[in-house]
Amino acid sequence: MSPAADNTDFRRAVDAKDGEKIVFSWQVWPDKATLDAAEAKMHEDKRFEISGEIPFDPKRLILGCFKPVYTMGPRVR
């Protein structure tokens, strides 16, 4: 397989159709404990409850959780 066949873009990765928009979000948390506490609060908050049909196809959602290999700039604590 050629290197080009191993790479893709956001539109092809989610099989976007004409007229669909791609949403990209990047979140940085100071540590996992802060993330876990925020997620717990969001699950308890009634404003985040969804009724009816959601406005996206969750089967095409891509989620990545990882630790950076290298971070430039001042260290965030």
Side-chain angles (χ1 to χ4, degrees):
M1 197 181 263
S2 71
D6 293 339
N7 299 309
T8 190
D9 58 29
F10 286 118
R11 294 198 65 77
R12 288 184 288 176
V14 298
D15 192 25
K17 309 296 185 239
D18 286 342
E20 288 184 324
K21 305 289 186 220
I22 305 296
V23 176
F24 178 84
S25 173
W26 186 278
Q27 297 177 356
V28 177
W29 295 92
D31 52 56
K32 185 159 179 5
T34 304
L35 166 64
D36 291 343
E39 284 190 341
K41 286 182 181 179
M42 287 188 286
H43 284 286
E44 295 169 3
D45 192 328
K46 301 293 182 203
R47 294 174 296 174
F48 288 103
E49 287 185 9
I50 298 171
S51 61
E53 190 174 332
I54 57 175
F56 63 91
D57 181 356
K59 289 182 259 174
R60 297 190 292 159
L61 178 69
I62 299 173
L63 172 67
C65 299
F66 58 91
K67 290 186 176 186
V69 174
Y70 180 78
T71 302
M72 294 176 55
R75 194 176 259 285
V76 177
R77 293 194 188 259

